[in-house]
């Protein structure tokens, strides 16, 4: 009886892990790209908000494509030093995520799904980190560590932040790993 219940619980944990991974990548490009995510794109492109305002508020009509190509994706007019300089003006944000985002978009192309997929991939690292933390806290039985992984995998909070182009997933992984 105990073996059958453990087998059932392990299957349930496996299903939770699969569902959690699926939802991290599901419909990444269908949600509204909100203000914080545009600031992520702006900073990783090497601009500050003030620089953008100074350039676009001139009284002239600007095409949306021009705004996107200039301020939301890395382009030839701004290099890595510009990104670092933009991040230095906002020290409250972790520069590692924005630098990773810049390289990610340059390598995989620029789209909403691409920039959000970085956070989704980083959030996958939270699952084994949670397992490791639970193993440190509860050495026996192993099922508790697996249960902890499943909770992080299907937690609406973690899934939501895994689908945003922000450093929240990196912070989660860093906290779990350092714990």
């Amino acid at each position: 009886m105990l073996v059958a219940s453990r087998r059932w619980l392990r299957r349930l944990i496996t299903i939770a892990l699969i569902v959690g991974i699926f939802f991290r990548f599901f419909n990444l490009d269908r949600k509204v790209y909100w203000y914080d995510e545009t600031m992520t794109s702006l900073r990783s492109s090497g601009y500050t908000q003030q620089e953008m305002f100074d350039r676009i508020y001139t009284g002239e009509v600007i095409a949306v494509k021009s705004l996107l190509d200039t301020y939301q994706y890395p382009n030839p007019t701004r290099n890595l030093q510009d990104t670092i300089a933009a991040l230095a003006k906002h020290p409250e944000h972790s520069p590692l995520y924005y630098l990773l985002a810049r390289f990610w978009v340059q390598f995989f192309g620029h789209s909403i799904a691409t920039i959000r997929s970085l956070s989704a991939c980083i959030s996958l690292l939270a699952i084994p980190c949670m397992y490791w933390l639970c193993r440190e806290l509860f050495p026996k039985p192993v099922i508790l560590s697996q249960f902890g992984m499943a909770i992080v995998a299907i937690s609406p909070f973690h899934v939501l932040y895994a689908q945003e182009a922000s450093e929240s997933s990196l912070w989660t992984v860093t906290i779990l790993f350092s714990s």
Side-chain angles (χ1 to χ4, degrees), residues 99-112:
L99 295 173
L100 286 172
R102 180 177 180 89
F103 292 125
W104 187 267
V105 170
Q106 285 178 330
F107 188 74
F108 292 109
H110 58 277
S111 71
I112 291 173

Side-chain angles (χ1 to χ4, degrees), residues 4-176:
S5 65
R6 282 199 176 197
R7 193 174 302 140
W8 176 82
L9 188 57
R10 288 197 181 176
R11 285 183 185 149
L12 185 65
I13 288 169
T14 303
I15 290 169
L17 289 172
I18 292 168
V19 167
I21 292 168
F22 171 76
F23 279 127
R24 278 170 166 70
F25 293 97
F26 182 69
N27 278 342
L28 285 178
D29 59 339
R30 302 270 191 246
K31 297 178 180 184
V32 174
Y33 200 67
W34 68 297
Y35 175 77
D36 281 355
E37 292 177 305
T38 61
M39 290 298 106
T40 296
S41 295
L42 183 75
R43 287 188 186 107
S44 66
S45 297
Y47 290 95
T48 64
Q49 190 174 8
Q50 188 61 46
E51 284 176 312
M52 182 185 72
F53 287 161
D54 291 344
R55 288 185 178 190
I56 64 173
Y57 288 117
T58 60
E60 296 178 23
V61 177
I62 301 171
V64 173
K65 182 167 177 26
S66 173
L67 284 173
L68 289 175
D69 290 343
T70 305
Y71 300 107
Q72 292 295 295
Y73 310 116
N75 59 58
T77 63
R78 293 290 174 133
N79 57 23
L80 185 60
Q81 285 80 19
D82 294 318
T83 300
I84 293 170
L87 294 171
K89 293 177 183 172
H90 290 279
E92 71 274 9
H93 296 289
S94 166
L96 178 60
Y97 178 80
Y98 296 99
L99 295 173
L100 286 172
R102 180 177 180 89
F103 292 125
W104 187 267
V105 170
Q106 285 178 330
F107 188 74
F108 292 109
H110 58 277
S111 71
I112 291 173
T114 302
I115 189 70
R116 286 180 173 165
S117 67
L118 172 63
S119 295
C121 288
I122 291 172
S123 76
L124 292 177
L125 296 174
I127 297 170
C129 287
M130 183 60 157
Y131 177 83
W132 187 17
L133 176 62
C134 288
R135 290 292 292 161
E136 292 288 324
L137 295 174
F138 314 107
K140 300 226 182 220
V142 174
I143 198 75
L144 291 175
S145 300
Q146 295 168 347
F147 191 67
M149 280 188 342
I151 288 173
V152 167
I154 62 171
S155 165
F157 177 79
H158 291 290
V159 171
L160 176 69
Y161 281 117
Q163 293 183 334
E164 284 187 8
S166 69
E167 70 241 27
S168 303
S169 295
L170 184 60
W171 280 113
T172 300
V173 169
T174 304
I175 290 167
L176 286 172

